[in-house]
Amino acid sequence: MALKKDDNGRRWVEMEFLVPGTPEQVWQAIATGPGMAAWFAPTTVEEHVGGAIEFDFGCGATSSGLVTEWDPPVRLGYEEHGWSGEAPPVATEVVVTSRSGDRCVVRMVHSLFTDRDDWDDELESFETGWPGFFEVLRLYLAHFAGQPAAGVRVMTVHPGGLAAAWASLAAALGLSGLDVASTWRTPAGVPPLEGIVERVHQDSQNREVMVRLAAPNPGVAVVGSFGTGEQTSVMVSIYFYGAEAATVAASEKARWEAWMADLVPVTGPQR
């Protein structure tokens, strides 16, 4: 859906997606700090109206705001301030609606109240940025709902364009030519990961493969390149689940940082 506007100065984008799970399971995943860290980014939430909410994207990049609606397991609202320079606060509303067969529809709306179009492109980027995370959310709810989670995320700028960056990353990780349901294992010399390909995606700004991991610990790995114009990044993002998740993530983080530094030497900051 494209950005919408009304006569009262509201501008918004909205998305709906179907996920497995009961309303209570979905709420835990989308409205609590441990839940959101399991498929999005490390998050802290004070679980009441007026409470603080903060997303930690790594390398000092955070976004914070206040909870404006708290009605478990149905409705969450929050406003983020300072999310894009001088932009007004962006208001987010998330509504969970139960469906038959232990499934739920999640509706997410991001709104700005301004008569200026300065931030329209960035507001629309919410709509294009979320779908990959929603796929991680689906896998989390289908296979790992409620389990402890810990993550590893390494990213750096690549000197080539999008296609060249993806070709380099995919070749190094043995991902070239794989399709959904393929079995994947990292080659020799790469930190060990093994699992089943769940998603292969590409568009004008992204190349991405998502794998449900069996080793070295159950989880989800997302490997991709993304960017516009002359700025392209490559990324490996891993969500580990279960009792050993934190231990495994701590041991694997340094290995992946070293591997990424060797893949793309001194071209940008590691995250």
Side-chain angles (χ1 to χ4, degrees):
M1 299 182 182
L3 182 142
K4 299 181 179 181
K5 306 175 185 179
D6 66 19
D7 294 336
N8 297 317
R10 180 187 175 213
R11 322 167 87 87
W12 74 96
V13 293
E14 59 186 55
M15 296 150 277
E16 282 192 354
F17 53 99
L18 185 68
V19 295
T22 65
E24 290 75 18
Q25 289 173 321
V26 176
W27 180 263
Q28 185 276 337
I30 66 164
T32 71
M36 294 197 75
W39 61 276
F40 181 48
T43 303
T44 56
V45 183
E46 294 179 351
E47 300 179 3
H48 58 84
V49 172
I53 184 168
E54 182 172 274
F55 305 99
D56 183 354
F57 301 112
C59 202
T62 63
S63 182
S64 60
L66 294 176
V67 176
T68 56
E69 296 181 85
W70 184 264
D71 183 17
V74 176
R75 186 184 302 271
L76 167 70
Y78 56 91
E79 286 189 354
E80 293 172 83
H81 303 263
W83 64 282
S84 180
E86 299 300 317
V90 60
T92 299
E93 180 185 57
V94 186
V95 178
V96 179
T97 304
S98 180
R99 291 288 185 264
S100 61
D102 282 342
R103 300 178 302 166
C104 291
V105 172
V106 180
R107 182 172 184 265
M108 179 178 286
V109 182
H110 297 291
S111 302
L112 285 180
F113 291 88
T114 177
D115 57 3
R116 296 169 57 185
D117 61 5
D118 302 48
W119 303 281
D120 285 359
D121 288 347
E122 290 171 271
L123 187 60
E124 287 183 319
S125 74
F126 283 112
E127 190 176 30
T128 58
W130 277 114
F133 290 109
F134 295 157
E135 293 301 325
V136 181
L137 173 61
R138 289 188 178 100
L139 288 177
Y140 169 69
L141 287 168
H143 301 282
F144 311 105
Q147 295 186 24
V152 172
R153 178 184 173 92
V154 292
M155 182 172 67
T156 192
V157 174
H158 192 281
L162 180 63
W166 174 244
S168 173
L169 185 65
L173 291 175
L175 288 165
S176 302
L178 291 186
D179 206 345
V180 171
S182 298
T183 299
W184 172 65
R185 179 181 299 153
T186 51
V190 180
L193 293 176
E194 181 178 347
I196 302 296
V197 176
E198 294 278 356
R199 181 176 188 253
V200 177
H201 173 79
Q202 69 175 41
D203 58 33
S204 62
Q205 298 180 11
N206 295 274
R207 303 286 190 274
E208 182 179 285
V209 172
M210 186 176 298
V211 179
R212 179 160 53 94
L213 297 173
N217 191 83
V220 175
V222 183
V223 179
S225 63
F226 58 93
T228 58
E230 298 179 358
Q231 179 82 8
T232 302
S233 297
V234 291
M235 177 196 70
V236 175
S237 184
I238 309 169
Y239 302 86
F240 291 120
Y241 304 120
E244 300 300 315
T247 300
V248 174
S251 67
E252 293 299 310
K253 186 174 188 296
R255 299 175 72 182
W256 278 103
E257 288 176 339
W259 182 85
M260 185 70 81
D262 287 340
L263 178 72
V264 188
V266 197
T267 59
Q270 298 286 310
R271 296 185 182 181

